[in-house]
Amino acid sequence: MNGKNEILKAVTQQDYKYGFVSKFDSDKAPVGLNEDIIRLISSKKKEPKWLLDIRLKAFKHWLTLMDKEPAWAHIHYPKINFQDIIYYAAPKKKKELNSLDEVDPEMLKTFDKLGISIEEQKKLSGVAVDVVIDSVSVKTTFKDTLAKLGIIFCSFSEAVQEHPELVKKYMGSVVPYTDNFYAALNSAVFTDGSFCYIPKGVRCPMELSTYFRINEANTGQFERTLLIAEEGSYVSYLEGCTAPMRDENQLHAAVVELIAYKDAEIKYSTVQNWYPGNKEGKGGIFNFVTKRGICKGEHSKISWTQVETGSAITWKYPSVILKGDYSVGEFYSIALTNNFQQADTGTKMLHIGKNTTSTIISKGVSAGKSNNSYRGLVRISKSASNARNFSQCDSLLLSSECGAHTFPYIEINNKTAIVEHEATTSKVGEDQIFYCNQRGLDTEQAISMIVNGYCKEVLKKLPMEFAVEAQKLLSLSLEGSVG
Amino acid sequence: MLSINNLKASVENKEILKGINLEVKKGEVHAIMGPNGSGKSTLASVLAGRSEYEVTDGTVNYLEHNLLDMEPEERAKEGLFLAFQYPVEIPGVNTATFLRTSLNEIREHRGQEPLNGADFLKLMKNKMEVIDIDKSLISRSLNEGFSGGEKKKAEIFQMALLEPTLAVMDETDSGLDIDALKVVAAGVNKLKTENNAVIIITHYERLLNYIVPDFVHIIFDGKIIKTGGKELALTLEEKGYDWITNEHVALSNA
Ligand SMILES: Nc1ncnc2c1ncn2[C@@H]1O[C@H](COP(=O)(O)OP(=O)(O)OP(=O)(O)O)[C@@H](O)[C@H]1O
Ligand SMILES: [Mg+2]
């Protein structure tokens, strides 16, 4: 029995493979946060006054929340000193970039190390990649093809310059700055992110993909993503992240807003493997994200799929407001924690429209001394007659020192609702590992195979090329030297 | 090929194997019979390297290796195959994918190129005919929701695919209907060569009508108490274990 625990322990102790720092020149704001910093960010980005005003309002609001940092999540971390963070850093742009040849070779090398060369991505999968490095979009590809269809896919800053009416109309409409502590902070200091607009009746012909990286020491990253799908449109959006190894904790607080009109469908997939900290629990990203979508029109659909293997702390609840009748919300999640990682993640499905349905499939995998919690809310409003929800929350334990928790909240205000919740907790079976061993697989491969099998329901929701990457990532996150 | 000497093993400090001696040569078929709880599966598990069984004494030599020093996966790669009495289910893991990984691990160990998807499919098709297994089983998750008989058949299919040097079949016949039994037996016979060997653990003489063993061993209370030819199985079928265990007990008391 003990022998097996030892093996599992060894297997799940892996080193982060993406630890390196690129040497970009960067231009950064002084450390700390005050109105001047916000004005600086806004002026650096040549923003219109209305946007600066929003930032300042958000900042004022955030100050009132100073002692109200959310504390309900099942996570523990030292108090963050928000005055100890640099809120703006941009790689120095030497000139406008038109082709990959003009991209900083250092950065291309970075992508090579990550195994996500843009070139390859472009050729193999027809994915349009909008690369965000330390808050400034450096390269946008496939823009022309998309432009022909009237699709706008660009950095948030660019959208502010070129489509201010759209940004003004939708920014903060799903996640207002008053929503929570981190949303307020983000609204005040966000630096960049992605913007996507799919016009009426257009089916986006390719997966839209963004790779985020945090690159500057001590730089908090505050992205803002806004995605609008007009009536009858469809888009599949991929977000993937890796960050270099760091000693200090890095704060990340993004806001993502999705808007789906009548008959529109948004599929939003995330693979997150930011630096989780070392085996002793030192360092790693603090990830506090607010992601929410609204199904505005009838028969609209928003589907969140996430594979979370990174970050020291993950605080994240991609949610759907089901406002339109017959709208559909989905949440498929894999959260893998190892060593000292802590994840508190889940979703909120807020049923408002009639005949709305939601599905929640959550797979938690915990190893080492990590803590992994599912927290989900299903709320059926009075108006939501015939609403349906199905939730399934499974936890898989790979060690005896890790923790898995499930916090399902269900609020039903309409008697016609049908809400089902299933939860299971299991340990990786010694029998299963031995069976694989007997067929020539070593214990590491065996665990990787079993975990991937366990997560299959969610993995198969990912777009093909992303699924392969996610599978590799799951294996990698559990990899180590078997003693 | 396999030489077991005075093998003793215990689980949770309880001695189960109390001095097993067994010699298996290339090309031979050995049957092991014995009452419930006598240690047959334990022997198979110890040979395969299951860690909860502690070997307290004895040696096992397999193809010039000290088997007991090898990790379970090394043993598998060296051609030792165990058809489990109770194959486990691994949800979400596609059977074909699993087997391809397994086969390629073994091939790599043998210094062979890994099989690509197309070649692997071809090989699978081939072996599916030998074992007459339903194609749909292979496309499902490993053993998940398989019926008892289907699990046993799937084990034999894996065996056919991996072409072991030494196969240990732990009660593969239990739970098979008579037609399946014939098919499985025919499959095993087809796979049999001069260079490999099979150890068949069974309770029933009927299997031995189809796969004719060179030796039949009877295990009782962690020891092989009698070894004979095929006729020993027949005698057992007629007289039951009492006949032989009484004799054994009488002898040891004498
Ligand atoms: N993990 C274990 N923990 C405790 N006892 C065990 C364990 N494994 C085996 N045993 C015991 O060892 C003895 C031998 O078991 P084994 O499975 O080898 O018998 P068997 O000969 O294969 O029987 P059967 O014909 O019923 O399959 C039994 O008494 C069994 O209860
Ligand atoms: Mg048995």
Side-chain angles (χ1 to χ4, degrees):
Chain A
M1 273 291 166
N2 267 335
K4 173 219 166 192
N5 280 338
E6 286 306 313
I7 291 173
L8 273 175
K9 226 192 251 167
V11 163
T12 52
Q13 280 170 4
Q14 99 13 265
D15 287 316
Y16 188 67
K17 299 253 161 107
Y18 296 144
F20 48 84
V21 180
S22 312
K23 301 185 213 91
F24 302 114
D25 300 15
S26 77
D27 127 35
K28 35 177 146 158
V31 73
L33 184 56
N34 53 47
E35 280 203 15
D36 288 343
I37 296 282
I38 290 169
R39 284 176 203 282
L40 172 81
I41 296 171
S42 192
S43 80
K44 281 254 181 220
K45 308 191 83 64
K46 304 187 182 75
E47 285 176 358
K49 175 146 186 321
W50 61 264
L51 190 49
L52 174 62
D53 289 345
I54 291 179
R55 287 179 182 276
L56 292 173
K57 258 195 254 171
F59 180 61
K60 282 214 182 80
H61 180 72
W62 181 69
L63 288 176
T64 69
L65 302 175
M66 240 6 228
D67 49 357
K68 292 180 194 132
E69 228 176 298
W72 39 261
H74 194 78
I75 49 180
H76 305 278
Y77 54 97
K79 214 163 162 39
I80 301 166
N81 182 352
F82 292 94
Q83 292 305 339
D84 216 20
I85 293 170
I86 294 169
Y87 286 86
Y88 181 78
K92 263 185 200 149
K93 255 204 269 185
K94 274 144 197 144
K95 55 181 178 197
E96 286 296 313
L97 302 170
N98 298 311
S99 83
L100 269 183
D101 309 340
E102 298 173 38
V103 176
D104 187 343
E106 191 65 32
M107 180 158 55
L108 291 180
K109 241 189 267 165
T110 302
F111 282 109
D112 281 347
K113 281 186 211 164
L114 288 171
I116 49 158
S117 97
I118 308 174
E119 209 52 325
E120 202 183 16
Q121 287 279 347
K122 282 201 285 186
K123 279 188 203 139
L124 290 179
S125 46
V127 173
V129 183
D130 172 25
V131 178
V132 178
I133 287 221
D134 263 14
S135 325
V136 167
S137 282
V138 184
K139 182 70 197 159
T140 305
T141 47
F142 278 80
K143 228 168 143 175
D144 292 345
T145 324
L146 297 174
K148 275 181 200 131
L149 293 164
I151 295 173
I152 305 167
F153 179 44
C154 61
S155 72
F156 200 90
S157 324
E158 215 177 319
V160 169
Q161 300 303 328
E162 285 167 31
H163 309 281
E165 68 300 337
L166 288 174
V167 176
K168 204 169 172 179
K169 180 170 175 193
Y170 292 108
M171 183 187 154
S173 70
V174 191
V175 181
Y177 64 78
T178 49
D179 191 81
N180 68 70
F181 183 86
Y182 296 103
L185 179 63
N186 175 288
S187 305
V189 304
F190 72 91
T191 39
D192 215 333
S194 295
F195 178 85
C196 179
Y197 177 85
I198 317 288
K200 190 168 167 180
V202 171
R203 209 184 148 81
C204 184
M206 60 187 83
E207 320 270 358
L208 298 182
S209 156
T210 311
Y211 281 97
F212 294 101
R213 283 180 48 82
I214 300 176
N215 221 303
E216 198 65 28
N218 257 328
T219 307
Q221 180 114 347
F222 303 93
E223 280 129 10
R224 190 96 204 178
T225 298
L226 184 53
L227 203 162
I228 302 131
E230 291 280 11
E231 191 176 320
S233 67
Y234 167 85
V235 63
S236 167
Y237 186 91
L238 317 180
E239 174 198 51
C241 332
T242 46
M245 191 179 287
R246 276 291 162 211
D247 246 358
E248 306 95 310
N249 292 306
Q250 286 180 297
L251 176 64
H252 180 94
V255 168
V256 176
E257 297 176 280
L258 312 182
I259 296 130
Y261 281 97
K262 183 168 180 274
D263 296 320
E265 179 177 349
I266 301 174
K267 202 171 146 54
Y268 194 105
S269 315
T270 306
V271 170
Q272 186 267 116
N273 67 327
W274 283 332
Y275 181 49
N278 68 10
K279 282 174 201 155
E280 283 73 48
K282 196 163 179 290
I285 301 290
F286 287 9
N287 190 23
F288 297 90
V289 189
T290 307
K291 285 184 163 174
R292 192 174 306 149
I294 182 164
C295 285
K296 267 199 144 139
E298 286 169 30
H299 295 282
S300 54
K301 178 173 174 183
I302 289 179
S303 181
W304 297 102
T305 306
Q306 60 173 24
V307 178
E308 305 276 323
T309 66
S311 295
I313 290 176
T314 302
W315 182 98
K316 183 180 174 190
Y317 315 91
S319 305
V320 184
I321 303 169
L322 296 148
K323 188 150 175 276
D325 293 347
Y326 297 96
S327 59
V328 177
E330 293 176 339
F331 175 73
Y332 299 103
S333 168
I334 297 167
L336 185 152
T337 54
N338 196 355
N339 298 318
F340 287 87
Q341 280 177 276
Q342 306 176 63
D344 194 296
T345 183
T347 185
K348 287 191 265 186
M349 292 292 174
L350 309 170
H351 292 253
I352 298 168
K354 296 185 184 61
N355 299 296
T356 46
T357 54
S358 61
T359 305
I360 299 171
I361 309 280
S362 159
K363 302 274 178 181
V365 180
S366 341
K369 295 186 170 143
S370 68
N371 243 308
N372 202 328
S373 305
Y374 167 81
R375 186 181 305 276
L377 168 66
V378 176
R379 180 189 289 150
I380 313 287
S381 312
K382 246 194 190 135
S383 55
S385 35
N386 301 315
R388 296 206 55 158
N389 162 267
F390 174 75
S391 304
Q392 186 187 322
C393 305
D394 299 327
S395 310
L396 183 68
L397 306 175
L398 299 185
S399 81
S400 48
E401 294 153 300
C402 60
H405 316 271
T406 310
F407 304 100
Y409 305 91
I410 299 171
E411 295 172 19
I412 300 178
N413 299 305
N414 185 309
K415 283 201 186 105
T416 59
I418 304 176
V419 173
E420 293 169 80
H421 179 88
E422 290 173 9
T424 66
T425 300
S426 46
K427 286 202 93 167
V428 148
E430 200 165 337
D431 292 4
Q432 293 175 327
I433 294 174
F434 182 67
Y435 189 92
C436 296
N437 287 157
Q438 214 304 303
R439 297 300 186 254
L441 280 64
D442 63 30
T443 300
E444 204 168 276
Q445 279 175 304
I447 290 175
S448 153
M449 194 155 256
I450 294 163
V451 167
N452 269 299
Y454 170 80
C455 295
K456 181 141 179 214
E457 248 178 298
V458 175
L459 286 170
K460 72 181 183 203
K461 296 288 173 185
L462 288 170
M464 192 53 190
E465 61 273 28
F466 228 38
V468 173
E469 193 174 318
Q471 263 179 19
K472 275 194 226 148
L473 194 61
L474 287 178
S475 311
L476 214 84
S477 303
L478 290 169
E479 195 174 276
S481 48
V482 179
Chain B
M1 150 181 312
L2 179 78
S3 161
I4 305 176
N5 260 300
N6 191 33
L7 181 67
K8 295 183 181 171
S10 29
V11 59
E12 283 160 11
N13 291 320
K14 182 180 153 208
E15 186 164 70
I16 312 280
L17 300 184
K18 302 177 177 172
I20 299 273
N21 293 294
L22 182 65
E23 221 33 73
V24 177
K25 295 201 178 66
K26 280 204 262 183
E28 291 179 349
V29 176
H30 289 245
I32 295 183
M33 304 180 79
N36 295 132
S38 55
K40 303 180 297 295
S41 295
T42 303
L43 175 61
S45 297
V46 169
L47 291 179
R50 194 160 185 144
S51 62
E52 71 241 55
Y53 296 92
E54 192 197 348
V55 175
T56 52
D57 201 4
T59 58
V60 180
N61 243 285
Y62 170 66
L63 300 174
E64 319 290 308
H65 299 285
N66 177 355
L67 188 76
L68 300 176
D69 272 355
M70 295 160 76
E71 293 296 333
E73 62 271 22
E74 290 176 49
R75 302 181 194 198
K77 289 184 206 172
E78 279 291 334
L80 178 76
F81 180 93
L82 170 59
F84 286 81
Q85 182 173 5
Y86 305 108
V88 297
E89 305 192 356
I90 308 188
V93 173
N94 175 269
T95 304
T97 311
F98 176 81
L99 287 178
R100 192 171 151 211
T101 311
S102 169
L103 181 64
N104 281 339
E105 280 300 318
I106 293 168
R107 288 178 66 91
E108 189 187 331
H109 182 78
R110 291 182 192 147
Q112 293 168 314
E113 287 290 307
L115 280 192
N116 63 29
D119 288 346
F120 178 71
L121 278 181
K122 222 184 279 165
L123 179 68
M124 272 218 311
K125 242 194 191 147
N126 216 316
K127 300 293 183 182
M128 261 164 2
E129 272 163 31
V130 176
I131 303 301
D132 187 34
I133 191 168
D134 190 347
K135 203 164 70 199
S136 67
L137 280 185
I138 311 300
S139 59
R140 278 163 59 179
S141 288
L142 192 59
N143 294 325
E144 196 184 24
F146 288 18
S147 76
E150 285 169 344
K151 280 183 184 164
K152 297 299 176 78
K153 254 186 140 172
E155 290 291 287
I156 295 311
F157 171 69
Q158 295 192 18
M159 176 173 135
L161 200 71
L162 302 177
E163 299 180 335
T165 311
L166 174 63
V168 182
M169 297 164 55
D170 193 357
E171 295 199 24
T172 303
D173 55 333
S174 305
L176 286 182
D177 62 47
I178 187 70
D179 292 338
L181 183 77
K182 280 185 195 162
V183 174
V184 163
V188 172
N189 286 331
K190 263 186 243 172
L191 297 168
K192 195 77 216 51
T193 70
E194 283 172 5
N195 292 312
N196 59 23
V198 191
I199 298 176
I200 298 170
I201 297 172
T202 181
H203 284 293
Y204 306 105
E205 188 263 345
R206 62 169 196 175
L207 174 67
L208 306 179
N209 287 328
Y210 301 105
I211 310 174
V212 182
D214 300 296
F215 300 95
V216 175
H217 310 275
I218 293 167
I219 257 193
F220 176 69
D221 192 21
K223 275 186 177 161
I224 291 178
I225 55 165
K226 198 169 183 79
T227 294
K230 193 200 168 279
E231 68 294 340
L232 183 56
L234 264 178
T235 322
L236 265 187
E237 188 89 357
E238 276 165 28
K239 301 190 181 169
Y241 286 115
D242 277 357
W243 151 72
I244 193 137
T245 53
N246 287 341
E247 181 180 287
H248 173 71
V249 171
L251 272 175
S252 12
N253 288 345

